[in-house]
Amino acid sequence: MDAIRYYSRTGNTEKMAQYLAEQLGIPAQTIEQPLAQPVTRLFIGGGIYSMSPDNHLKDFVRTLSPDQVQKVYLFGTAGSAFTIEKGLSKILKKQKIPVSEKHVFLHGVMPKLGNISDRQKEEIKKFVAEINA
């Protein structure tokens, strides 16, 4: 079983999570929804704020255990070149939860606009094809 959890301040990551969910055929839920059962793949998404993932997202990741999650796949949005990868990977490593090297981050998505372009949708489709290959 797979699951998607995300945190979105401005709605951009929410839109990305919903599109990713369409491609994977599973629902996207906010981090307020705990995992009901163990998952094989957990897709975690968020934006970058002042060069760091939001504290709500970091707190959610700290609640996870290897008994719940076999592997994490990261995704997110940012108006800049920074991503949530470094900050969350560090926490997940401490939790002893493997993080896939495959991820998808959309750059240039500006706050509150949430305009995911056709090119960015193709990036998400390519990511899904790679992880399902």
Side-chain angles (χ1 to χ4, degrees):
M1 181 177 151
D2 295 339
I4 298 173
R5 294 296 184 274
Y6 68 91
Y7 180 81
S8 183
R9 279 191 199 174
T10 63
N12 295 333
T13 301
E14 179 180 11
K15 287 180 182 178
M16 183 182 183
Q18 295 301 334
Y19 192 77
L20 179 61
E22 287 176 28
Q23 300 306 306
L24 290 168
I26 59 175
Q29 297 178 303
T30 69
I31 59 171
E32 294 171 355
Q33 180 68 41
L35 295 173
Q37 58 191 33
V39 296
T40 304
R41 301 185 301 183
L42 177 60
F43 297 85
I44 300 176
I48 195 83
Y49 309 99
S50 300
M51 299 179 6
S52 179
D54 186 274
N55 286 333
H56 293 92
L57 187 57
K58 291 191 276 190
D59 289 344
F60 169 76
V61 169
R62 287 184 186 104
T63 70
L64 301 174
S65 75
D67 295 333
Q68 292 176 292
V69 180
Q70 286 184 19
K71 188 174 242 182
V72 166
Y73 293 78
L74 298 172
F75 69 95
T77 59
S80 68
F82 296 102
T83 72
I84 61 170
E85 184 177 19
K86 185 176 179 181
L88 294 188
S89 292
K90 184 177 178 181
I91 296 168
L92 289 160
K93 185 176 180 181
K94 285 183 183 178
Q95 303 292 95
K96 298 186 182 347
I97 300 172
V99 178
S100 175
E101 291 181 12
K102 296 179 181 178
H103 47 72
V104 61
F105 296 108
L106 303 183
H107 300 282
V109 181
M110 299 310 291
K112 301 200 189 257
L113 293 179
N115 297 327
I116 297 175
S117 70
D118 289 341
R119 180 187 56 77
Q120 291 170 324
K121 287 178 181 178
E122 288 302 317
E123 286 181 53
I124 296 168
K125 287 179 183 177
K126 181 180 174 187
F127 167 71
V128 170
E130 286 176 5
I131 62 169
N132 285 334

